[in-house]
Amino acid sequence: MAFWKFTALRLGLVAVFFAACVWLGLGLVLSAIVGAVLAWCVTYLFFRDMRDAAARNVQKRFHGDAPRTPNRVEREDASAEDSLLDSNPEVQINSDRRPRDEQQP
């Protein structure tokens, strides 16, 4: 949540600075550049705690130890396996077992 708050703050500052620069008559391209640079400077200087919290959220999300969220196909496969096991209690799924190689005795 901190990431989205910080992003909204920075985008809001870009919009404010952009509008001020357009009002001053700097032109659209220069206003966009000045707005982005000023918003970056203000958030860098005055919103350190919010920036650090946002960075921690991003790091936690993309770190290798973070719990992996299954995608749609994996959820559908798990649901199919669960329904198979519920309807046929004699069926066993052991995904840890190595498949037998038919060619070796």
Side-chain angles (χ1 to χ4, degrees):
M1 189 63 155
F3 172 77
W4 294 113
K5 286 180 183 178
F6 184 70
T7 301
L9 172 70
R10 188 171 274 180
L11 289 176
L13 287 173
V14 167
V16 167
F17 289 131
F18 175 77
C21 291
V22 168
W23 182 73
L24 291 172
L26 292 180
L28 293 178
V29 175
L30 187 59
S31 295
I33 293 170
V34 170
V37 169
L38 286 176
W40 180 84
C41 291
V42 168
T43 55
Y44 184 79
L45 291 174
F46 299 112
F47 295 97
R48 179 180 182 168
D49 294 336
M50 189 181 280
R51 185 181 70 241
D52 291 343
R56 279 192 301 275
N57 282 357
V58 171
Q59 180 186 17
K60 184 171 64 173
R61 172 67 175 97
F62 291 107
H63 191 264
D65 294 339
R68 197 176 152 283
T69 56
N71 61 23
R72 181 184 54 84
V73 173
E74 291 171 335
R75 288 191 306 266
E76 288 174 356
D77 286 348
S79 176
E81 288 176 1
D82 291 343
S83 64
L84 173 71
L85 290 175
D86 290 341
S87 63
N88 301 313
E90 69 278 355
V91 174
Q92 293 182 1
I93 298 175
N94 187 357
S95 60
D96 293 332
R97 193 180 79 198
R98 273 183 53 194
R100 290 191 303 181
D101 194 6
E102 299 295 329
Q103 296 165 347
Q104 289 183 354

